[in-house]
């Protein structure tokens, strides 16, 4: 598969208060044509800065950026075959929805009838055929989100950059838009580079995910690989719930210096054959499962997710924990 966007050793250093701050630190990245690629990481880890450098809004301090094989490092945003959906949508409040969507075409001098026809086609595509004459304030958050999408797509970008586009929506709508966005991306067959701090969103939408931590990418992998085989402790704990063990406890329970066991791979059982025993310190109900916090030897706590249909021991009771050898994933030193 060919490369849509390539970052070679890209860094971004901001100067503030006389001090240099490395917001993005030597990032190497290759997004393939037609790929849904997500930049995932906590707030402040450099995701937006990275996206802005791809879009041309922020200049890298070092490194090069290629789009479809062409070096665009010093090209302005409008010269790049990419477009951006910003977090706050940035719609023009005084313009109709149709004019908002057609805006970039107007700026380029495309004649009215042609640009309005295209804008209507895009409003159909994002399933908003009936709002063309309204103003942004007359739409719901989810509708505004789709207008921003239509507006970004009208220039037929090869790569669409999306910075936390679903962040302002409530949970139900967000989940609906997640699957809609994914279908749209598949239909258009262009690359999406999607920024989020939400691991569920990243896992459910992406072909591959790059996990950011303090300006660096700690791991690039498919959602399934990232979840099952995190490269570092940070990735293990950021993506999904994890029991990360280190030191003596890790060696006793797993035979490794540092290891991870996902809570859903731990079962309750009898004393015979148990890996360890402990006291239930807390229980949390999640609908589909119960999460038990079990205090085991030496102050360690293990999370065990057990199906809600099975009974769970009460807080204060003793229980025994079981897992298969394959449930243990050894972690590197990093
Ligand atoms: P994220 O999108 O992952 O939350 P950002 O890329 O927005 O992170 O920011 C990364 C770091 O860079 C943060 O510590 C932020 O405060 C800092 N930063 C971002 N933009 C600027 C700027 N224009 N000047 C100085 N520091 C900035
Ligand atoms: Mg951001």
């Amino acid at each position: 598969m060919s490369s849509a966007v390539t970052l070679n050793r890209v860094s971004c250093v901001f100067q503030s208060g006389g001090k240099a701050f490395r917001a993005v630190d030597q990032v190497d990245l290759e997004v393939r044509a037609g790929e849904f690629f997500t930049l995932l990481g906590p707030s402040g880890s450099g995701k937006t800065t990275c996206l802005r450098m791809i879009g041309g809004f922020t200049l890298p301090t070092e490194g090069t950026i290629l789009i479809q094989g062409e070096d665009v490092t010093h090209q302005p945003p409008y010269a790049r075959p990419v477009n951006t959906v910003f977090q706050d949508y940035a719609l023009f409040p005084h313009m109709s929805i149709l004019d908002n969507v057609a805006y970039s075409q107007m700026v380029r001098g495309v004649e009215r009838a042609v640009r309005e026809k295209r804008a209507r086609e895009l409003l159909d595509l994002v399933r908003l055929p009936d709002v063309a004459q309204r103003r942004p304030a007359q739409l719901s958050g989810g509708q505004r989100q789709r207008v921003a999408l239509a507006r970004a797509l009208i220039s037929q970008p090869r790569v669409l950059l999306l910075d936390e586009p679903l962040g302002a929506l409530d949970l139900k709508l967000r989940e609906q838009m997640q699957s809609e966005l994914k279908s749209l991306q598949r239909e258009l067959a262009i690359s999406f580079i999607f920024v989020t701090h939400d691991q569920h969103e990243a896992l459910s939408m992406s072909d591959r995910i790059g996990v950011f931590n303090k300006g660096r990418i700690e791991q690039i992998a498919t959602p399934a690989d990232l979840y099952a085989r995190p490269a570092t402790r940070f990735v293990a704990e950021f993506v999904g719930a994890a029991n990360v063990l280190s030191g003596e406890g890790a060696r006793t329970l797993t035979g490794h210096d540092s290891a991870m066991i996902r809570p859903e791979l731990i079962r309750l059982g009898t004393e015979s054959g148990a890996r360890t025993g402990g006291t239930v310190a807390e229980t949390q109900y999640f609908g589909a499962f119960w999460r038990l916090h079990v205090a085991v030897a030496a102050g360690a706590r293990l999370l065990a997710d057990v199906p809600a249909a099975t009974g769970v021991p009460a807080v204060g009771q003793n229980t025994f924990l079981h897992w298969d050898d394959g449930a243990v994933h050894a972690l590197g030193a990093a």
Side-chain angles (χ1 to χ4, degrees), residues 40-53:
L40 171 69
S43 174
S45 59
K47 308 180 297 295
T48 293
T49 304
C50 197
L51 203 72
R52 289 178 58 83
M53 290 192 288

mmCIF file with all atom_site columns, all heavy atoms in Angstrom, residues 40-53:
data_model
loop_
_atom_site.group_PDB
_atom_site.id
_atom_site.type_symbol
_atom_site.label_atom_id
_atom_site.label_alt_id
_atom_site.label_comp_id
_atom_site.label_asym_id
_atom_site.label_entity_id
_atom_site.label_seq_id
_atom_site.pdbx_PDB_ins_code
_atom_site.Cartn_x
_atom_site.Cartn_y
_atom_site.Cartn_z
_atom_site.occupancy
_atom_site.B_iso_or_equiv
_atom_site.pdbx_formal_charge
_atom_site.auth_seq_id
_atom_site.auth_comp_id
_atom_site.auth_asym_id
_atom_site.auth_atom_id
_atom_site.pdbx_PDB_model_num
ATOM 1  N N   . LEU A 1 40 ? -3.457 8.810  19.448 1.00 0.00 ? 40 LEU A N   1
ATOM 2  C CA  . LEU A 1 40 ? -4.093 8.663  20.755 1.00 0.00 ? 40 LEU A CA  1
ATOM 3  C C   . LEU A 1 40 ? -3.104 9.038  21.850 1.00 0.00 ? 40 LEU A C   1
ATOM 4  O O   . LEU A 1 40 ? -1.937 8.643  21.801 1.00 0.00 ? 40 LEU A O   1
ATOM 5  C CB  . LEU A 1 40 ? -4.535 7.197  20.939 1.00 0.00 ? 40 LEU A CB  1
ATOM 6  C CG  . LEU A 1 40 ? -5.040 6.784  22.325 1.00 0.00 ? 40 LEU A CG  1
ATOM 7  C CD1 . LEU A 1 40 ? -6.388 7.429  22.637 1.00 0.00 ? 40 LEU A CD1 1
ATOM 8  C CD2 . LEU A 1 40 ? -5.163 5.258  22.426 1.00 0.00 ? 40 LEU A CD2 1
ATOM 9  N N   . GLY A 1 41 ? -3.582 9.797  22.834 1.00 0.00 ? 41 GLY A N   1
ATOM 10 C CA  . GLY A 1 41 ? -2.688 10.123 23.944 1.00 0.00 ? 41 GLY A CA  1
ATOM 11 C C   . GLY A 1 41 ? -3.385 11.065 24.896 1.00 0.00 ? 41 GLY A C   1
ATOM 12 O O   . GLY A 1 41 ? -4.412 11.662 24.553 1.00 0.00 ? 41 GLY A O   1
ATOM 13 N N   . PRO A 1 42 ? -2.817 11.234 26.088 1.00 0.00 ? 42 PRO A N   1
ATOM 14 C CA  . PRO A 1 42 ? -3.437 12.136 27.062 1.00 0.00 ? 42 PRO A CA  1
ATOM 15 C C   . PRO A 1 42 ? -3.320 13.590 26.627 1.00 0.00 ? 42 PRO A C   1
ATOM 16 O O   . PRO A 1 42 ? -2.558 13.910 25.706 1.00 0.00 ? 42 PRO A O   1
ATOM 17 C CB  . PRO A 1 42 ? -2.629 11.883 28.345 1.00 0.00 ? 42 PRO A CB  1
ATOM 18 C CG  . PRO A 1 42 ? -1.342 11.301 27.895 1.00 0.00 ? 42 PRO A CG  1
ATOM 19 C CD  . PRO A 1 42 ? -1.616 10.581 26.605 1.00 0.00 ? 42 PRO A CD  1
ATOM 20 N N   . SER A 1 43 ? -4.058 14.453 27.266 1.00 0.00 ? 43 SER A N   1
ATOM 21 C CA  . SER A 1 43 ? -4.015 15.877 26.988 1.00 0.00 ? 43 SER A CA  1
ATOM 22 C C   . SER A 1 43 ? -2.591 16.400 27.162 1.00 0.00 ? 43 SER A C   1
ATOM 23 O O   . SER A 1 43 ? -1.914 16.062 28.131 1.00 0.00 ? 43 SER A O   1
ATOM 24 C CB  . SER A 1 43 ? -4.978 16.571 27.954 1.00 0.00 ? 43 SER A CB  1
ATOM 25 O OG  . SER A 1 43 ? -4.862 17.946 27.815 1.00 0.00 ? 43 SER A OG  1
ATOM 26 N N   . GLY A 1 44 ? -2.136 17.183 26.198 1.00 0.00 ? 44 GLY A N   1
ATOM 27 C CA  . GLY A 1 44 ? -0.804 17.770 26.290 1.00 0.00 ? 44 GLY A CA  1
ATOM 28 C C   . GLY A 1 44 ? 0.312  16.898 25.754 1.00 0.00 ? 44 GLY A C   1
ATOM 29 O O   . GLY A 1 44 ? 1.491  17.246 25.854 1.00 0.00 ? 44 GLY A O   1
ATOM 30 N N   . SER A 1 45 ? -0.029 15.752 25.147 1.00 0.00 ? 45 SER A N   1
ATOM 31 C CA  . SER A 1 45 ? 1.026  14.833 24.707 1.00 0.00 ? 45 SER A CA  1
ATOM 32 C C   . SER A 1 45 ? 1.554  15.155 23.308 1.00 0.00 ? 45 SER A C   1
ATOM 33 O O   . SER A 1 45 ? 2.464  14.483 22.821 1.00 0.00 ? 45 SER A O   1
ATOM 34 C CB  . SER A 1 45 ? 0.525  13.385 24.775 1.00 0.00 ? 45 SER A CB  1
ATOM 35 O OG  . SER A 1 45 ? -0.620 13.197 23.974 1.00 0.00 ? 45 SER A OG  1
ATOM 36 N N   . GLY A 1 46 ? 0.964  16.159 22.642 1.00 0.00 ? 46 GLY A N   1
ATOM 37 C CA  . GLY A 1 46 ? 1.526  16.590 21.358 1.00 0.00 ? 46 GLY A CA  1
ATOM 38 C C   . GLY A 1 46 ? 0.705  16.214 20.132 1.00 0.00 ? 46 GLY A C   1
ATOM 39 O O   . GLY A 1 46 ? 1.143  16.432 19.001 1.00 0.00 ? 46 GLY A O   1
ATOM 40 N N   . LYS A 1 47 ? -0.498 15.686 20.327 1.00 0.00 ? 47 LYS A N   1
ATOM 41 C CA  . LYS A 1 47 ? -1.318 15.215 19.200 1.00 0.00 ? 47 LYS A CA  1
ATOM 42 C C   . LYS A 1 47 ? -1.724 16.361 18.261 1.00 0.00 ? 47 LYS A C   1
ATOM 43 O O   . LYS A 1 47 ? -1.557 16.261 17.054 1.00 0.00 ? 47 LYS A O   1
ATOM 44 C CB  . LYS A 1 47 ? -2.599 14.531 19.730 1.00 0.00 ? 47 LYS A CB  1
ATOM 45 C CG  . LYS A 1 47 ? -2.345 13.457 20.766 1.00 0.00 ? 47 LYS A CG  1
ATOM 46 C CD  . LYS A 1 47 ? -3.645 12.832 21.246 1.00 0.00 ? 47 LYS A CD  1
ATOM 47 C CE  . LYS A 1 47 ? -4.615 13.774 21.956 1.00 0.00 ? 47 LYS A CE  1
ATOM 48 N NZ  . LYS A 1 47 ? -4.133 14.312 23.242 1.00 0.00 ? 47 LYS A NZ  1
ATOM 49 N N   . THR A 1 48 ? -2.277 17.422 18.847 1.00 0.00 ? 48 THR A N   1
ATOM 50 C CA  . THR A 1 48 ? -2.730 18.548 18.021 1.00 0.00 ? 48 THR A CA  1
ATOM 51 C C   . THR A 1 48 ? -1.553 19.194 17.295 1.00 0.00 ? 48 THR A C   1
ATOM 52 O O   . THR A 1 48 ? -1.647 19.518 16.112 1.00 0.00 ? 48 THR A O   1
ATOM 53 C CB  . THR A 1 48 ? -3.464 19.591 18.895 1.00 0.00 ? 48 THR A CB  1
ATOM 54 O OG1 . THR A 1 48 ? -4.677 18.999 19.367 1.00 0.00 ? 48 THR A OG1 1
ATOM 55 C CG2 . THR A 1 48 ? -3.798 20.843 18.112 1.00 0.00 ? 48 THR A CG2 1
ATOM 56 N N   . THR A 1 49 ? -0.448 19.362 17.986 1.00 0.00 ? 49 THR A N   1
ATOM 57 C CA  . THR A 1 49 ? 0.734  19.951 17.356 1.00 0.00 ? 49 THR A CA  1
ATOM 58 C C   . THR A 1 49 ? 1.175  19.106 16.162 1.00 0.00 ? 49 THR A C   1
ATOM 59 O O   . THR A 1 49 ? 1.507  19.632 15.098 1.00 0.00 ? 49 THR A O   1
ATOM 60 C CB  . THR A 1 49 ? 1.881  20.070 18.389 1.00 0.00 ? 49 THR A CB  1
ATOM 61 O OG1 . THR A 1 49 ? 1.406  20.822 19.505 1.00 0.00 ? 49 THR A OG1 1
ATOM 62 C CG2 . THR A 1 49 ? 3.091  20.761 17.793 1.00 0.00 ? 49 THR A CG2 1
ATOM 63 N N   . CYS A 1 50 ? 1.139  17.796 16.324 1.00 0.00 ? 50 CYS A N   1
ATOM 64 C CA  . CYS A 1 50 ? 1.511  16.893 15.251 1.00 0.00 ? 50 CYS A CA  1
ATOM 65 C C   . CYS A 1 50 ? 0.563  17.065 14.056 1.00 0.00 ? 50 CYS A C   1
ATOM 66 O O   . CYS A 1 50 ? 0.993  17.176 12.903 1.00 0.00 ? 50 CYS A O   1
ATOM 67 C CB  . CYS A 1 50 ? 1.467  15.470 15.789 1.00 0.00 ? 50 CYS A CB  1
ATOM 68 S SG  . CYS A 1 50 ? 2.347  14.308 14.776 1.00 0.00 ? 50 CYS A SG  1
ATOM 69 N N   . LEU A 1 51 ? -0.730 17.124 14.347 1.00 0.00 ? 51 LEU A N   1
ATOM 70 C CA  . LEU A 1 51 ? -1.738 17.284 13.292 1.00 0.00 ? 51 LEU A CA  1
ATOM 71 C C   . LEU A 1 51 ? -1.578 18.636 12.587 1.00 0.00 ? 51 LEU A C   1
ATOM 72 O O   . LEU A 1 51 ? -1.692 18.730 11.366 1.00 0.00 ? 51 LEU A O   1
ATOM 73 C CB  . LEU A 1 51 ? -3.140 17.167 13.910 1.00 0.00 ? 51 LEU A CB  1
ATOM 74 C CG  . LEU A 1 51 ? -4.255 16.772 12.963 1.00 0.00 ? 51 LEU A CG  1
ATOM 75 C CD1 . LEU A 1 51 ? -4.103 15.299 12.580 1.00 0.00 ? 51 LEU A CD1 1
ATOM 76 C CD2 . LEU A 1 51 ? -5.621 16.994 13.597 1.00 0.00 ? 51 LEU A CD2 1
ATOM 77 N N   . ARG A 1 52 ? -1.308 19.674 13.373 1.00 0.00 ? 52 ARG A N   1
ATOM 78 C CA  . ARG A 1 52 ? -1.131 21.015 12.795 1.00 0.00 ? 52 ARG A CA  1
ATOM 79 C C   . ARG A 1 52 ? 0.094  21.075 11.882 1.00 0.00 ? 52 ARG A C   1
ATOM 80 O O   . ARG A 1 52 ? 0.090  21.791 10.890 1.00 0.00 ? 52 ARG A O   1
ATOM 81 C CB  . ARG A 1 52 ? -1.016 22.069 13.910 1.00 0.00 ? 52 ARG A CB  1
ATOM 82 C CG  . ARG A 1 52 ? -2.331 22.319 14.644 1.00 0.00 ? 52 ARG A CG  1
ATOM 83 C CD  . ARG A 1 52 ? -2.154 23.329 15.778 1.00 0.00 ? 52 ARG A CD  1
ATOM 84 N NE  . ARG A 1 52 ? -1.637 24.596 15.291 1.00 0.00 ? 52 ARG A NE  1
ATOM 85 C CZ  . ARG A 1 52 ? -2.407 25.553 14.758 1.00 0.00 ? 52 ARG A CZ  1
ATOM 86 N NH1 . ARG A 1 52 ? -3.709 25.403 14.691 1.00 0.00 ? 52 ARG A NH1 1
ATOM 87 N NH2 . ARG A 1 52 ? -1.847 26.672 14.326 1.00 0.00 ? 52 ARG A NH2 1
ATOM 88 N N   . MET A 1 53 ? 1.115  20.302 12.205 1.00 0.00 ? 53 MET A N   1
ATOM 89 C CA  . MET A 1 53 ? 2.293  20.269 11.329 1.00 0.00 ? 53 MET A CA  1
ATOM 90 C C   . MET A 1 53 ? 1.965  19.562 10.013 1.00 0.00 ? 53 MET A C   1
ATOM 91 O O   . MET A 1 53 ? 2.438  19.959 8.953  1.00 0.00 ? 53 MET A O   1
ATOM 92 C CB  . MET A 1 53 ? 3.474  19.594 12.044 1.00 0.00 ? 53 MET A CB  1
ATOM 93 C CG  . MET A 1 53 ? 4.034  20.461 13.173 1.00 0.00 ? 53 MET A CG  1
ATOM 94 S SD  . MET A 1 53 ? 5.619  19.887 13.801 1.00 0.00 ? 53 MET A SD  1
ATOM 95 C CE  . MET A 1 53 ? 5.146  18.410 14.684 1.00 0.00 ? 53 MET A CE  1
#
